[in-house]
Amino acid sequence: MRENRKVDEIRPVKIETDFVKHPEGSVLITVGDTKVICSATIESKVPSFLKGEGKGWVTAEYSMLPRATESRNIREAAKGKLGGRTQEIQRLIGRSLRSMVNLKKLGERTIWLDCDVIQADGGTRTASITGAFVSMVLALNKLVEEKELSELPVEGYLAAISVGIVNDEIMLDLDGKEDFQADTDMNVAGTDKGEFVEIQGTGENHPFSKNEMEKMLSYAEKGMHALMEVQSQALSEIYPPPAKKG
Amino acid sequence: MRENRKVDEIRPVKIETDFVKHPEGSVLITVGDTKVICSATIESKVPSFLKGEGKGWVTAEYSMLPRATESRNIREAAKGKLGGRTQEIQRLIGRSLRSMVNLKKLGERTIWLDCDVIQADGGTRTASITGAFVSMVLALNKLVEEKELSELPVEGYLAAISVGIVNDEIMLDLDGKEDFQADTDMNVAGTDKGEFVEIQGTGENHPFSKNEMEKMLSYAEKGMHALMEVQSQALSEIYPPPAKKG
Amino acid sequence: MRENRKVDEIRPVKIETDFVKHPEGSVLITVGDTKVICSATIESKVPSFLKGEGKGWVTAEYSMLPRATESRNIREAAKGKLGGRTQEIQRLIGRSLRSMVNLKKLGERTIWLDCDVIQADGGTRTASITGAFVSMVLALNKLVEEKELSELPVEGYLAAISVGIVNDEIMLDLDGKEDFQADTDMNVAGTDKGEFVEIQGTGENHPFSKNEMEKMLSYAEKGMHALMEVQSQALSEIYPPPAKKG
Amino acid sequence: MRENRKVDEIRPVKIETDFVKHPEGSVLITVGDTKVICSATIESKVPSFLKGEGKGWVTAEYSMLPRATESRNIREAAKGKLGGRTQEIQRLIGRSLRSMVNLKKLGERTIWLDCDVIQADGGTRTASITGAFVSMVLALNKLVEEKELSELPVEGYLAAISVGIVNDEIMLDLDGKEDFQADTDMNVAGTDKGEFVEIQGTGENHPFSKNEMEKMLSYAEKGMHALMEVQSQALSEIYPPPAKKG
Amino acid sequence: MRENRKVDEIRPVKIETDFVKHPEGSVLITVGDTKVICSATIESKVPSFLKGEGKGWVTAEYSMLPRATESRNIREAAKGKLGGRTQEIQRLIGRSLRSMVNLKKLGERTIWLDCDVIQADGGTRTASITGAFVSMVLALNKLVEEKELSELPVEGYLAAISVGIVNDEIMLDLDGKEDFQADTDMNVAGTDKGEFVEIQGTGENHPFSKNEMEKMLSYAEKGMHALMEVQSQALSEIYPPPAKKG
Amino acid sequence: MRENRKVDEIRPVKIETDFVKHPEGSVLITVGDTKVICSATIESKVPSFLKGEGKGWVTAEYSMLPRATESRNIREAAKGKLGGRTQEIQRLIGRSLRSMVNLKKLGERTIWLDCDVIQADGGTRTASITGAFVSMVLALNKLVEEKELSELPVEGYLAAISVGIVNDEIMLDLDGKEDFQADTDMNVAGTDKGEFVEIQGTGENHPFSKNEMEKMLSYAEKGMHALMEVQSQALSEIYPPPAKKG
């Protein structure tokens, strides 16, 4: 049982576009007390392994300010290397976003998605995916406006949410305190067509059953649908609303 | 359709124990043409964040020999840093194994699981989990024999397998070639009680539906069951066979 | 000549306190289009070289988000090392703030000042100093409120501003475009008693004379005075206004 | 005095070819309880300092699995740098093998020799050289078979062995325990023509005389001769037996 | 008050040219007990950010031998990274020297200035600038002699000196002991035309007033003038003496 | 044939003591055009692996100034890691010096030997060993003078020299040009009792016979004897001359 919201309800979400002035696409996404600046940069070249293949690439970087968290975390730049958690998250964000872009239509360009958490209260990686999607569409739209692309090379909406089992209760969109208590923790990224692009579930403290798995996925679908409504408003002038899933 | 085995069938699996003489527990696991040396080391101390908490820790390291793969991959020691893929895999193996150990019963000890791939043909991370489980039980059994522990602090069998969608067909235990062609790729670790401890599914090339998800999980369960039979034979003298799932 | 402000006038400045919820002290400082999040953390220990000396330490870290700038700059965490510019700036901020703290009264504590530039348009290091001062006083005030300190161990106001020579004209508070054109560039940090704590002037493109030096310092004094007014409003409830310099 | 073999006798040696399937040349060499996987990779380019010179290069990398040794050694990839011992050994292996290859006949190709110790019991660097030679000839022979080379660009057999002084007694092919007790330790690499390509002797615990030096070299010659017999069997179908030294 | 010299007097200075045989320009500069080897290397290419711009670059590296100092300092090569102090100093030396070179006349070449402190007793960064200037002119003169340049692309003399406030007394050219006691510490680099190219003043222990600032600059001017006399003798055969400042 | 000296003759050698003022022991050794500053530091603690064992340690670090060589070599501090050649040399110097010290008599102290090459013309590693020996004895003598040690814990003289085969001729003490042409290259460190502590011979370009080996060792003995004469003069007031080898 939760105090202020139902177990299958997400926290209040806000997406402010053009939060920072320099990037081609930029948002501040707020999910409860979690705040992430997502910026999209479009570069006119691709990594060496893709050169000459006539298609583009999408990649992500993720970082936390030292005091995004309750106690100060040491900067990875000061340590001189990226930690395992950061790399795991960066790869998750990158794969998720890449799945929604038609890389051939994008052409030989790289989209960099920078997700910088300025305040953390659970769900930073899923907020990053949800916000990065909006910043990416904003940036791609600039290319359309500048006639560099004839249409948005995007294949639908993408949002992500966490779900978990806390004290034997399945809950959607865990905040920091719930996340700390959770026995099972799952991050789900999906499309407006009701399909999944990433599922990462871990029951390190408590293995989970097939039934729990199914219920978690149902909650996640509900949460992603609600997030897409907010994304849709932020993109209302440039991208049609998400498909209605039957 | 596959040539030599059914789509829900795993490749031939072999687990040779005591493959290397120095470690407390050591196996060579062979899954098709994938070969991994899994060694377990037990250290009488814990990481600093656990000091004085009266419980233990389980952690894993994963590496490939440069020519485990078709073309030579550059050593991470030569590059001076661990890649994102390696870190992602190490974290997956560590969390999976940790979930099956009663850390309080283990006491202030750390179990290091070293998974070194000497030949790769798909499924190296799941073979690592499956083999590391056996090497861990072997090493813990030494502590029981030496009366340092009164019983094995292990809470059941653990195995892991990959499953994916290749040319619109769901397949169990992808080999290297199938993995390369797969649109959806999922790694599943589970217990002999039919529960999951890790699910990591990615549809970077092709999002997957809930139905596909369910079928993939069923295949995975079948595969893990078969792997536990092999584990059980390797451990026959020291650990009871896996629970029969109803 | 400038379009919208006089040559000895600073850009509009705003200091929002408690911008992020976790740090003991936190501000968002805006100087023109430059925006920096300054967070202060107080740690109950000192670096090893100060152990047992009965006094504290103040240190600073500085970073830019990749898209704080017009073109994307590569993260130092990804490069695996801090660049020379970053280290130079961190040392400047650290020395400046340290000069205003009575380290004996502070006791064996370390104040970490994290300055993260989210949008850059010239003067990021001086905005960092000016904002970090406010976040530091806010954090120290918490210690006073919690009776850990009997009084604020701060010895006056500290602000910093840039000044330079652009097209043979001395100008205060250069924005990004002016900074790019400047032949001489000077950063000045000073106190409300009219004294200097740091002066770093460079005439890489054009050496400067003693007369120019004097005029630049006069402009800088004017600018720092204006900045202290804004700091004073942000701290109005906890710290007396700056001394009037005769 | 030794228990099971004479002081001038080497341990049992076995060389299994094609131990791993991907490399162009691959062996598992076993010398007593020391086991090393040696793989040879041929790359169609040379390091930048050799570009356009019309000749090739031979280089080696050496590593130990963490539990090749009695107590677990920390991975150099995890440390982020190669240790001095590793670099010293890599350079020794590289120089030794390079000395036996006609680099002009090799043409603009690089031979990478990866020596991965899976079990260590003394003499890992000399076993690496001895095994790497065989894997290199196997790999080069593939180029001959594919008509890329008209003949093997190899100038004779190469083997290496250790010799030392243990409790004032000169001994050939020290195992791990003897190596630990040795006052003088020497590694010798030589050819089937009775010449030396590398001698590295160290008397850190006990300087050695010219007479001892000579006797050690005699023992080493005997040992290398025995090793070449084993190499010769492994290569019997593709390379003529070693020259008979008068 | 000082024992052996006046407060506005510099220590004995000696500049030995051609101290090391390989570099194009090389000096050993001795200022009191501070000794720095300054070597200039001219490379026929520029950093990538300058390619094709038709102008050159000047850059500096600074290092101390481990026992240049009273207690042994750890090598930065062993630590695997450059410290903040080193980077700050390298940037200062580089900017100072760059300001005196006509980069267009230099053409697409890079001048590397290596300043290696073999004995430190205060003022190592200013001695480095003063010595590097001489080594740079020597190296450039070789290009003139070899007809690669038609004239020296140098725009006057450059020297640097420290000045500070020790026990409330302003002093020129602090030695190590004075530097340790100083409340204010300033490094000044200037030209023979009486202009400044770098001023870095810090009052970490004691803020300084405008009057003190002015007096420090006067002392510094006197010191730089004396240093230029010594530089001028070292360069007497190839570069005219410094301009007489009115 | 050589122009100015016989094939078994060393270059002119000079050892200046107290070359730098801060270290406990310091020399500048000049061998032909090779110049190395060798400094000895004595630290009152040992590495962790020796703690509580009641004995000391000797270790060495080696570096070249960027322009010690004909073309500029990049600093290892700038690269962020030590190269293989440097590590190989450091280990050689450390082992050689360690062999001559009675570590029990030294007690729980570490001797750091810093060898910094300021000018290189062949034989830098052997000059480092020869010079480091003198600086080490000087430093240890300070401990004797200060009554911290009752006698010098040194077990005789140590010197090192190179020898090689150039155009089929065996030559002692190769200079840079000869070293570049050499087919075989050997470094030998030995004692005044005619024993060897290190022999490192490599015939990368041309394997060498047993006869050549013997002749090279004879030359080396002659060279080391001559070097010990020079060491003996430098140490005349504190250490007895080398033993006469019969």
Side-chain angles (χ1 to χ4, degrees), chain A residues 84 87 197-199 201-203 208, chain B residues 84 87 196-199 201-203:
Chain A
Q87 297 217 43
V197 301
E198 286 283 335
I199 294 177
T202 179
F208 50 98
Chain B
Q87 298 218 42
F196 302 111
V197 302
E198 286 285 334
I199 294 178
T202 179

Side-chain angles (χ1 to χ4, degrees), chain B residues 110-177:
Chain B
T110 296
I111 306 177
W112 292 84
L113 298 162
D114 286 295
C115 301
D116 287 89
V117 180
I118 61 175
Q119 192 169 280
D121 188 33
T124 62
R125 74 188 75 187
T126 50
S128 294
I129 291 170
T130 304
F133 176 79
V134 177
S135 71
M136 183 179 78
V137 175
L138 290 170
L140 288 168
N141 190 54
K142 289 237 172 99
L143 289 190
V144 173
E145 285 176 353
E146 293 162 1
K147 315 273 189 208
E148 296 224 20
L149 287 176
S150 58
E151 57 174 333
L152 283 176
V154 178
E155 306 196 322
Y157 275 77
L158 172 80
I161 195 77
S162 80
V163 58
I165 307 180
V166 184
N167 298 327
D168 292 324
E169 195 163 19
I170 292 177
M171 288 187 184
L172 181 63
D173 188 20
L174 310 185
D175 65 22
K177 199 175 147 194

Side-chain angles (χ1 to χ4, degrees), chain A residues 131-160:
Chain A
F133 175 77
V134 178
S135 72
M136 183 178 78
V137 175
L138 289 170
L140 287 169
N141 191 55
K142 289 236 173 101
L143 289 190
V144 174
E145 284 176 354
E146 294 163 359
K147 314 274 187 206
E148 296 224 18
L149 288 175
S150 57
E151 57 174 333
L152 284 176
V154 178
E155 307 195 323
Y157 275 77
L158 171 80

Side-chain angles (χ1 to χ4, degrees), chain D residues 82 84-85 87-88 91 95 98-99 196-204 207-208 210 213 218 221, chain F residues 82 84-85 87-88 91 95 98-99 195-204 207-208 210 213 218 221:
Chain D
L82 297 175
R85 178 183 173 275
Q87 298 217 42
E88 193 178 83
R91 288 164 62 85
R95 282 195 309 265
R98 210 148 50 228
S99 73
F196 302 111
V197 301
E198 285 284 335
I199 294 178
Q200 293 199 341
T202 179
E204 183 180 330
F208 50 99
K210 213 165 177 174
M213 177 78 195
S218 297
E221 285 183 295
Chain F
L82 296 177
R85 179 183 173 275
Q87 298 217 44
E88 193 178 83
R91 288 165 62 86
R95 282 196 309 266
R98 209 149 50 231
S99 75
E195 290 174 319
F196 302 111
V197 301
E198 286 285 334
I199 294 177
Q200 293 199 342
T202 179
E204 184 180 331
F208 49 98
K210 214 167 178 175
M213 177 78 194
S218 297
E221 284 183 295

